[in-house]
Amino acid sequence: MNKFTFTLTALFLGTAAQAQDNLSVVGSWSGLPLHKNYEAPFWTKGLPDAAGGDLEVALTTHDQMGISGGDVFRMMSQGVFDVGMTAADYAVSDSAALEGLDVPLVASDANEAKIALDAARPMMNDIFETVFNAHVIGTAPYPAQIVFCNASIAGLADLKGLKVRASGRMTANVLEGLGSEAVTMSFGEVPGALQRGVIDCAVTGAGSGYSSGWWEVSTHLLPLALGGWDPVVAAIRLDRWNALDGEKQNALTTSFVEQIEKPAWAEAQANMSSEIACLTGGECTLGDTRDMTLVEATPADEAIVKELLVTTILPEWSERAGGDWGQRWNDTVGATTGVTFVAN
């Protein structure tokens, strides 16, 4: 950790020592709409109001702390702060089972993605309790994780041979199965890498790419959710959760659902087509319209990816995750989405 991280950690721990019902919270990317529109208002005002002024929050984000998204839940479990919010995909190095929470193209829209994630909630709860000693508060989506390219492409097949930044491990496996070279790098590194030709394409949400200026270093947009919906999980360290009385626990979970989970998922569904329009010359409500080339995804493209999932990627994930995670996935997410495989 850098000097700023140590200073901030000391502040968090000092605050917690002063009052038991203060929470130190690390949120997701500070510059993205999820944090600006939902996380920050909830933690700084919505939750304290819902708790009747008896619960105060010290809020920052992982990028403001100078740590990676993959460090958030691990550091939370070590007691550096109380609550963490970040994409589950960032934490798969701690648990391969987490990859099963967001499988590309098992859901065609945000509503279906939320239903699939709700089906996986018992799996999610078990993973966070056993791996991170944490209680899951709720989830929120990033937008559908689609493909930005600084290369001329006409369809999914043209990704073959290109270097593509993946948004998660399972997405990387899909890309490798399509003949691409999957590259791992943080969200903030992507624009420079696209501009310099270090990578040819990158996967992220349309709204995230728009707000972060990826249209400045990309020419083509393929709106196929190769990265799934990249759900963000909010979790609280279990000992901190147990220290809250029942009223505060209820205020936290209920208000999170009402002020973050429900509206953020609804917005993800409503905004996807308009965000794509903003990037590709259509009518834009977010700001100036950009002029990326829209590459239409086809049902055949989706069929290719789903065949890869069932025959190769999900069975390999099941073996890597171990235990009965593959069968649990089939019995929950698979039963909900109609996508099942032979678990190893």
Side-chain angles (χ1 to χ4, degrees):
M1 292 186 289
N2 59 29
K3 182 178 179 181
F4 177 67
T5 303
F6 278 118
T7 303
L8 190 57
T9 300
L11 172 63
F12 276 167
L13 296 178
T15 302
Q18 293 169 17
Q20 182 183 11
D21 291 334
N22 283 11
L23 292 177
S24 51
V25 179
V26 171
S28 62
W29 288 99
S30 62
L32 297 185
L34 177 62
H35 181 76
K36 292 179 178 179
N37 299 340
Y38 294 105
E39 290 178 17
F42 171 74
W43 292 113
T44 59
K45 188 175 189 306
L47 177 58
D49 288 351
D54 292 332
L55 195 58
E56 296 184 4
V57 174
L59 174 67
T60 187
T61 63
H62 71 81
D63 55 305
Q64 290 171 332
M65 284 183 73
I67 64 173
S68 74
D71 291 330
V72 171
F73 295 132
R74 191 181 313 118
M75 291 178 68
M76 176 195 67
S77 72
Q78 294 166 351
V80 179
F81 42 85
D82 301 318
V83 178
M85 287 188 69
T86 194
D89 274 345
Y90 291 170
V92 296
S93 61
D94 293 303
S95 171
L98 282 172
E99 297 173 44
L101 301 183
D102 186 38
V103 177
L105 293 183
V106 298
S108 60
D109 58 33
N111 293 331
E112 291 183 4
K114 179 63 164 63
I115 291 169
L117 191 61
D118 286 345
R121 184 63 181 266
M123 294 172 55
M124 186 192 311
N125 291 344
D126 287 349
I127 295 165
F128 273 81
E129 184 168 338
T130 58
V131 177
F132 301 111
N133 189 38
H135 171 82
V136 174
I137 301 167
T139 65
Y142 281 137
Q145 302 295 292
I146 61 178
V147 186
F148 289 70
C149 284
N150 195 16
S152 180
I153 62 170
L156 183 69
D158 290 337
L159 296 182
K160 183 176 182 179
L162 299 185
K163 298 185 293 294
V164 186
R165 179 261 186 180
S167 58
R169 184 176 293 171
M170 196 165 286
T171 304
N173 292 339
V174 170
L175 290 167
E176 296 284 356
L178 293 170
S180 303
E181 179 184 341
V183 178
T184 300
M185 65 174 57
S186 73
F187 180 85
E189 294 177 296
V190 170
L194 283 168
Q195 187 173 38
R196 297 191 306 272
V198 174
I199 55 175
D200 303 296
C201 306
V203 176
T204 196
S208 302
Y210 178 87
S211 62
S212 299
W214 286 24
W215 44 269
E216 294 182 288
V217 290
S218 303
T219 57
H220 289 65
L221 186 72
L222 175 63
L224 188 67
L226 284 185
W229 291 82
D230 213 11
V232 169
V233 178
I236 179 170
R237 203 172 64 252
L238 200 56
D239 58 349
R240 193 66 191 86
W241 168 255
N242 291 333
L244 296 174
D245 63 40
E247 289 187 4
K248 291 186 179 68
Q249 288 179 346
N250 183 65
L252 174 55
T253 55
T254 302
S255 57
F256 184 94
V257 169
E258 293 301 320
Q259 297 182 42
I260 294 185
E261 189 163 302
K262 286 183 178 179
W265 277 102
E267 183 179 73
Q269 176 61 28
N271 285 0
M272 183 174 175
S273 55
S274 62
E275 290 166 349
I276 291 171
C278 286
L279 289 162
T280 57
E283 185 176 345
C284 183
T285 59
L286 301 178
D288 294 335
T289 300
R290 307 306 175 183
D291 60 355
M292 294 183 68
T293 298
L294 178 63
V295 180
E296 296 288 354
T298 67
D301 290 338
E302 293 192 21
I304 290 169
V305 175
K306 288 186 177 180
E307 179 70 12
L308 266 175
L309 290 175
V310 171
T311 59
T312 304
I313 292 167
L314 283 169
E316 288 178 352
W317 163 72
S318 174
E319 185 171 1
R320 190 166 58 253
D324 63 349
W325 291 113
Q327 190 57 53
R328 289 184 66 177
W329 193 94
N330 274 334
D331 292 341
T332 55
V333 181
T336 300
T337 62
V339 178
T340 58
F341 65 101
V342 177
N344 292 325

